Amino acid sequence: MGTQGIAETLHGVLGWHLLELKGCDSAARPRVHWHRIHNLLLSYIQFGCPAEMTVDTDQRVLIIQRPMAGHARIRLGVEDLDLTPGRAVITCDTDRLMMRWSPDCRMSVLRMELDAVESRLMDVIRGPLREPFRIQPVMDVASGRGLSWLRWWTLLTEELDRPGALVEEQHEAVAFERQLMSTLLRVQPHNHTSYLIKGDEPGNVDRNGVALDAVSGYPLYLRKVLQIVDNNPEWEHTTSSLAQFAAISPRALQAQFKQHVGLSPKAYLTNVRLDRVYDALLAASRGEVTVGQVAVHYGFKHYGRFVTLYRQRYGERPYDTLLRTPRSR
């Protein structure tokens, strides 16, 4: 393949610009296997020679490398990091890397679009990022929480290699992606980790003296309203009852939802209920429950309207979701 072919392969798959390559001659035959789903690209690369390379990227990506066999050493800034099957490295955005792979190194690489990772993080903390996202580069995947996350990565890779797998359907691929990103954000330390683990500690106050939540920057009473809806979507919430819980007027609650959430309280509650129904139908076995039973449990009293909303949100009928149960896969 030669240096030019290797450079084209690295750029085409990972977005890396090859600045220098040593150790591989023109007879080298790199092996590359990859899959793309939505905002993820999963691949493995094997050079079959003691490759030394320097790469960088001009793309906003987060790249995780873990040797499936062999070993590697990566220089990130002034730090040398050793990679083994139990130790991965995470690089972010425009980091320049100098890498040395052993001849038997077969590298598993996961590429995530950084915009998608940051968007997922903002969903989790329910607020904007207060500084550019940075994540700890070394990840222990041999034990503990890191191993749990690695198993999600491995499962997704195996499913992509299996013809007819559920992940071939777009909405299922998106669900896998969300799970992989969410778990990574909870397992691996980063500069927003504290926002994920803090509870209801008050943060600052706004100019009117209203306490702000330390995690999202929302008014503290608004976060409590969101929590009661998230934790108990089956309750008969109304804008008035939620406003009473928050000790503000219904009109003020409407305004706060519009400003911070972008939805009315009713629309937010409906979306949460739809998500719960979707999760329940996926987890159920056919014959165990009916769509109507699940819908009523989560507060949908008008079946026809419920089906319309469900199809708008998920692109399929609720009964179609129920058919895709563990027993039918």
Side-chain angles (χ1 to χ4, degrees), residues 74-85:
I74 293 181
R75 171 162 289 185
L76 183 60
V78 297
E79 186 176 7
D80 288 327
L81 306 174
D82 291 316
L83 276 69
T84 65

Side-chain angles (χ1 to χ4, degrees), residues 25-302:
D25 56 27
S26 59
R29 293 291 183 269
R31 296 177 57 198
V32 180
H33 180 69
W34 60 276
H35 290 282
R36 175 182 287 279
I37 61 167
H38 206 48
N39 293 300
L40 303 179
L41 189 145
L42 301 91
S43 65
Y44 71 76
I45 302 173
Q46 184 172 14
F47 285 105
C49 57
E52 297 182 34
M53 67 195 103
T54 303
V55 301
D56 69 4
T57 180
D58 56 6
Q59 301 181 23
R60 283 179 47 78
V61 292
L62 184 148
I63 293 180
I64 306 171
Q65 299 181 67
R66 169 189 167 263
M68 301 168 67
H71 62 275
R73 171 166 286 191
I74 293 181
R75 171 162 289 185
L76 183 60
V78 297
E79 186 176 7
D80 288 327
L81 306 174
D82 291 316
L83 276 69
T84 65
R87 195 173 194 235
V89 69
I90 306 173
T91 56
C92 191
D93 212 352
T94 57
D95 295 326
R96 175 172 292 196
L97 303 176
M98 289 181 284
M99 301 184 290
R100 179 182 298 171
W101 293 10
S102 65
D104 60 340
C105 181
R106 186 157 64 104
M107 190 70 75
S108 183
V109 184
L110 173 60
R111 166 180 161 162
M112 298 180 175
E113 299 298 326
L114 189 54
D115 287 343
V117 175
E118 291 178 339
S119 176
R120 186 68 193 127
L121 178 56
M122 287 188 285
D123 286 344
V124 172
I125 67 175
R126 291 203 181 99
L129 304 187
R130 302 182 182 183
E131 56 184 325
F133 176 75
R134 288 294 172 194
I135 192 166
Q136 182 173 307
V138 178
M139 185 175 188
D140 177 11
V141 293
S143 60
R145 291 154 59 90
L147 177 58
S148 297
W149 180 81
L150 175 62
R151 286 173 174 165
W152 275 105
W153 180 3
T154 302
L155 174 62
L156 180 55
T157 302
E158 291 173 349
E159 286 293 285
L160 287 169
D161 284 332
R162 185 171 65 85
L166 191 65
V167 75
E168 292 179 358
E169 300 178 20
Q170 183 177 0
H171 52 278
E172 295 296 343
V174 171
F176 261 98
E177 174 189 293
R178 287 168 60 88
Q179 181 64 42
L180 200 62
M181 288 183 179
S182 297
T183 309
L184 176 66
L185 291 169
R186 294 192 178 279
V187 166
Q188 187 66 3
H190 51 81
N191 60 340
H192 292 79
T193 295
S194 61
Y195 301 152
L196 298 177
I197 62 178
K198 287 182 179 178
D200 290 333
E201 304 172 24
N204 299 319
V205 296
D206 67 11
R207 62 185 180 182
N208 297 315
V210 175
L212 301 178
D213 174 57
V215 175
S216 62
Y218 294 174
L220 195 56
Y221 61 77
L222 178 59
R223 183 160 189 262
K224 290 182 179 294
V225 168
L226 295 173
Q227 285 180 330
I228 198 172
V229 171
D230 290 347
N231 294 337
N232 306 281
E234 70 277 10
W235 290 5
E236 293 190 8
H237 301 293
T238 65
T239 300
S240 295
S241 69
L242 293 173
Q244 185 176 7
F245 174 76
I248 60 174
S249 70
R251 180 173 294 183
L253 184 64
Q254 291 269 13
Q256 290 295 327
F257 262 79
K258 183 176 181 180
Q259 177 182 346
H260 295 285
V261 183
L263 298 169
S264 68
K266 181 179 179 181
Y268 181 83
L269 172 61
T270 298
N271 285 346
V272 172
R273 285 174 168 174
L274 287 169
D275 289 344
R276 295 296 192 278
V277 172
Y278 179 83
D279 292 341
L281 293 177
L282 275 182
S285 297
R286 279 187 294 172
E288 182 179 282
V289 296
T290 67
V291 171
Q293 288 171 334
V294 177
V296 168
H297 174 76
Y298 284 106
F300 292 102
K301 298 179 180 179
H302 303 287

